[in-house]
Amino acid sequence: MEQSIVERTGALSVAGRNVPWAAWMPAGPPPSTLVLIGHGASGDKHEGYVVALGRSLAARGTACVAIDGPIHGERRDRDATTMPFFDFAARWSSDSELTDSMIEDWRAVLDHFLSDGSVEPQAQVGYWGLSMGTILGLPLVAAEPRISACVLGLMGSTGPTKDRIATDARTIQIPTMFLVQWNDQLFHRRDVFELFDLIGSSDKTLIATPGNHGDVTPETFRRSAEFLMNRLAKSK
């Protein structure tokens, strides 16, 4: 039976940065599972698929929280005239502290939700993030021991932080589902398969679906949500 959903928004200040968040919670007692959702470039915490995933998991008893990525959503300059996708690509190439800043932001948000009564203090934590959500999320998964299962993908062993991502991927030992779009025009499947191969976990699953970068199917979203719920339940 699906539960009623409570939607909340807020923001934290982390090292002088404003970190806006949106959360979807099952109504009732604090849940024992929490999923962090990282959006892709050009999106934000209220991107359609982020909201749909958050509401779907919340209706089944799992709390979810998403934050705006760098120069996205409420963090974006209101006077910006360029596209967020290209601004992020430039920032990814030029800001050596970008990845670690995002890890710091996510950790602050996780600390907040584990301590404010939103979820059980010892809740099992998962991460879901594709494309930019993997570029900045895979290093988070590698660095944060409280995350016990993850969904990553739409990203390959390439780009300005290729070496960092490869090194971090080798350290990941938690259950991982990795999503691939067979005709991805941004990340060649050769590089995507290479990154999947680098992930150190013995419990990893790859799902490849026909289509371009953004053509992730509803079935794939459903399977990724089921994967997280299953693995987080086993971690309790």
Side-chain angles (χ1 to χ4, degrees), residues 38-49:
H39 67 80
S42 295
D44 58 41
K45 64 185 179 301
H46 284 121
E47 186 81 3
Y49 68 85

Side-chain angles (χ1 to χ4, degrees), residues 18 28-30 38 84 92 104 137 235-236:
N18 182 50
W92 185 22
E104 191 176 12
S235 298
K236 293 179 183 179

Side-chain angles (χ1 to χ4, degrees), residues 66-119:
I67 67 176
D68 284 330
I71 62 172
H72 286 78
E74 293 180 63
R75 297 213 222 192
R76 185 158 180 77
D77 186 342
R78 292 180 180 273
D79 297 324
T81 58
T82 51
M83 295 180 63
F85 179 89
F86 297 112
D87 289 344
F88 171 73
R91 181 83 174 271
W92 185 22
S93 298
S94 63
D95 186 353
S96 61
E97 298 180 358
L98 180 66
T99 297
D100 288 322
S101 294
M102 194 64 173
I103 291 173
E104 191 176 12
D105 293 349
W106 267 124
R107 281 181 154 166
V109 170
L110 181 55
D111 289 343
H112 174 77
F113 278 86
L114 291 176
S115 64
D116 77 341
S118 296
V119 300

Side-chain angles (χ1 to χ4, degrees), residues 12 15 32 53 61 102 131 150 155 186 217 222:
L12 298 178
S32 60
L53 180 64
M102 194 64 173
S131 194
C150 65
M155 166 58 185
L186 299 182
T217 66
R222 184 191 66 76

Side-chain angles (χ1 to χ4, degrees), residues 17-179:
R17 297 184 298 276
N18 182 50
V19 183
W21 55 262
W24 301 269
M25 304 282 177
S32 60
T33 50
L34 170 65
V35 171
L36 312 177
I37 304 176
H39 67 80
S42 295
D44 58 41
K45 64 185 179 301
H46 284 121
E47 186 81 3
Y49 68 85
V50 173
V51 175
L53 180 64
R55 290 183 59 84
S56 173
L57 288 172
R60 299 165 69 179
T62 295
C64 296
V65 59
I67 67 176
D68 284 330
I71 62 172
H72 286 78
E74 293 180 63
R75 297 213 222 192
R76 185 158 180 77
D77 186 342
R78 292 180 180 273
D79 297 324
T81 58
T82 51
M83 295 180 63
F85 179 89
F86 297 112
D87 289 344
F88 171 73
R91 181 83 174 271
W92 185 22
S93 298
S94 63
D95 186 353
S96 61
E97 298 180 358
L98 180 66
T99 297
D100 288 322
S101 294
M102 194 64 173
I103 291 173
E104 191 176 12
D105 293 349
W106 267 124
R107 281 181 154 166
V109 170
L110 181 55
D111 289 343
H112 174 77
F113 278 86
L114 291 176
S115 64
D116 77 341
S118 296
V119 300
E120 292 182 2
Q122 301 302 317
Q124 296 299 313
V125 181
Y127 179 82
W128 191 103
L130 307 179
S131 194
M132 188 183 81
T134 289
I135 292 170
L136 299 176
L138 186 152
L140 167 69
V141 171
E144 180 48 69
R146 290 173 292 184
I147 296 175
S148 56
C150 65
V151 174
L152 304 170
L154 306 194
M155 166 58 185
S157 182
T158 187
T161 54
K162 173 183 176 179
D163 293 341
R164 165 74 180 271
I165 288 173
T167 298
D168 287 345
R170 293 185 180 97
T171 72
I172 294 176
Q173 299 295 328
I174 62 174
T176 302
M177 175 174 279
F178 202 88
L179 308 184

